[in-house]
Amino acid sequence: MPASARLRLFLAILLIWIGSSACQGVGRSLASQTPASCADCHQEIARQWGASAHAHAWTDPAFVAASEQHTKAECLGCHAPLPLLEQAGGPPRVRAVRRDDGVDCAACHKVGCAQGGPYDTLAPHATRRVPALRSSRFCGRCHEKEIEQYEALYAPLTPDAQQRSCADCHMDARSAHLTQGHLLSGLHPRRIVRDHAFTSWKRHARSAVEVTSAVFAREGERIHAQFALLNRGAGHRIPTGAGGHREVRIRVFALDEHGNVLGRVESSLVSAADEGLEPGTPRAFDLWLVAFAPETVADVRLLVERVNADESLRLVLVDRRWPLPPAGR
């Protein structure tokens, strides 16, 4: 056997032995399987996760208040879950340890004494390829309202081959190494790796809503605004979600020739009332606004934003401007 082949065989046996030891450790203690220990090798993914809502799911002040200081049992399992791949069904169960880590690595990847993922690869711990992780239904274990809307409103309108999963919008893909910072990282081929910050939806949202029709007319001292909005980019309502304040704010402004605001009117859609824009179905709006010095109104501006309760998030979905026709046209 050539020396190079013997070396590869030796490394393979070594990794299998290390993996077996690591597997036994994982099987013994969930408490020892922390995001920090995963970050020893998966540095980039851990950095992304650390900035995500998943990482702060248990400690987020809005959740602490909504769950009445973590006393609402029905809320807890999705904010610090036991490994989901090890739970056959039903509401996710909350773990007893490291709850401040929120939706941690083990919550989505631990399966038995292995780490589940899109690949079954050589590693210093046991790995298992788990196709379910690519499925929107896996995300739907906790994101129940979203998966209900996905299956009821989006899937029937979209051919199977064109359907996107949750990850397609919420976890952008790129070619990268799965691990960084240790001796064996360079031996791993570059693969498609998903972004674990879960923030790419904000970029996709900017092109998810379009104006399908718009008519603006002067009627006396008022301006009549009629327009329709279409959710063409999301597989669920916009906005959606069961927790927190999620709002689409719709405002129409009357502007003079210099862009000064002479009048405005506002409407909103909130997820709690299931008012969001449905996939593929235009929603008509019929609004009236009164303008100061209406004869000087030159343009109408339509601004649609996705906002949260304290407006720390203000994401522009539509920002368009039209000239206002003279009266009688």
Side-chain angles (χ1 to χ4, degrees):
M1 180 183 294
S4 59
R6 289 198 299 272
L7 177 60
R8 286 195 298 270
L9 178 60
F10 170 75
L11 288 175
I13 293 172
L14 178 63
L15 284 172
I16 291 170
W17 178 78
I18 294 173
S20 175
S21 299
C23 176
Q24 293 172 11
V26 170
R28 284 198 305 268
S29 174
L30 181 62
S32 66
Q33 192 176 344
T34 67
S37 66
C38 298
D40 288 341
C41 296
H42 299 280
Q43 296 175 355
E44 182 61 17
I45 288 176
R47 181 192 65 78
Q48 295 164 357
W49 171 85
S52 73
H54 278 185
H56 306 285
W58 186 265
T59 58
D60 174 55
F63 170 67
V64 174
S67 64
E68 298 179 3
Q69 308 300 313
H70 300 133
T71 60
K72 288 187 175 181
E74 67 273 18
C75 301
L76 307 185
C78 282
H79 288 257
L82 285 164
L84 294 168
L85 292 172
E86 298 178 356
Q87 301 184 51
R93 301 190 303 277
V94 65
R95 64 177 180 268
V97 297
R98 298 187 298 95
R99 291 181 175 178
D100 283 358
D101 285 340
V103 184
D104 64 352
C105 311
C108 294
H109 293 283
K110 183 178 180 295
V111 51
C113 62
Q115 295 300 310
Y119 307 107
D120 188 2
T121 186
L122 195 62
H125 56 70
T127 64
R128 182 183 300 178
R129 182 176 176 272
V130 182
L133 284 173
R134 300 177 184 268
S135 166
S136 294
R137 288 193 174 185
F138 179 75
C139 304
R141 290 291 305 276
C142 285
H143 298 278
E144 296 174 319
K145 180 171 284 192
E146 290 88 338
I147 194 62
E148 288 173 4
Q149 295 169 3
Y150 179 94
E151 294 183 341
L153 303 176
Y154 170 75
L157 299 176
T158 311
D160 290 349
Q162 298 177 22
Q163 288 184 17
R164 291 174 294 174
S165 69
C166 301
D168 289 331
C169 289
H170 292 263
M171 301 179 72
D172 274 354
R174 63 190 180 91
S175 176
H177 294 291
L178 283 170
T179 63
Q180 301 81 31
H182 67 83
L183 183 63
L184 299 179
S185 293
L187 297 179
H188 289 160
R190 297 178 73 88
R191 294 180 169 89
I192 297 301
V193 180
R194 294 284 182 174
D195 188 329
H196 284 63
F198 303 95
T199 55
S200 55
W201 70 270
K202 296 178 182 178
R203 177 172 55 78
H204 292 284
R206 293 187 177 96
S207 59
V209 177
E210 70 176 40
V211 182
T212 59
S213 63
V215 177
F216 304 98
R218 303 175 195 264
E219 298 192 17
E221 295 186 351
R222 299 192 299 168
I223 295 169
H224 193 188
Q226 296 173 292
F227 55 92
L229 300 177
L230 172 66
N231 168 8
R232 66 177 182 86
H236 47 69
R237 294 181 189 269
I238 302 177
T240 188
H245 180 80
R246 307 177 189 208
E247 175 187 352
V248 166
R249 185 172 298 164
I250 302 156
R251 290 183 286 175
V252 181
F253 301 90
L255 309 175
D256 67 14
E257 62 180 346
H258 304 294
N260 299 310
V261 176
L262 303 178
R264 73 178 70 190
V265 66
E266 183 175 308
S267 183
S268 66
L269 308 172
V270 294
S271 62
D274 278 341
E275 297 174 335
L277 302 172
E278 292 186 11
T281 304
R283 171 81 65 85
F285 293 84
D286 192 323
L287 305 176
W288 294 82
L289 63 154
V290 176
F292 174 76
E295 69 280 359
T296 65
V297 175
D299 296 315
V300 173
R301 179 190 180 198
L302 173 62
L303 178 63
V304 182
E305 297 175 291
R306 164 73 167 83
V307 300
N308 59 2
D310 62 4
E311 300 194 6
S312 57
L313 172 69
R314 294 180 67 103
L315 185 67
V316 175
L317 306 180
V318 172
D319 190 356
R320 291 186 59 184
R321 187 166 168 169
W322 293 264
L324 183 65
R329 289 192 181 180

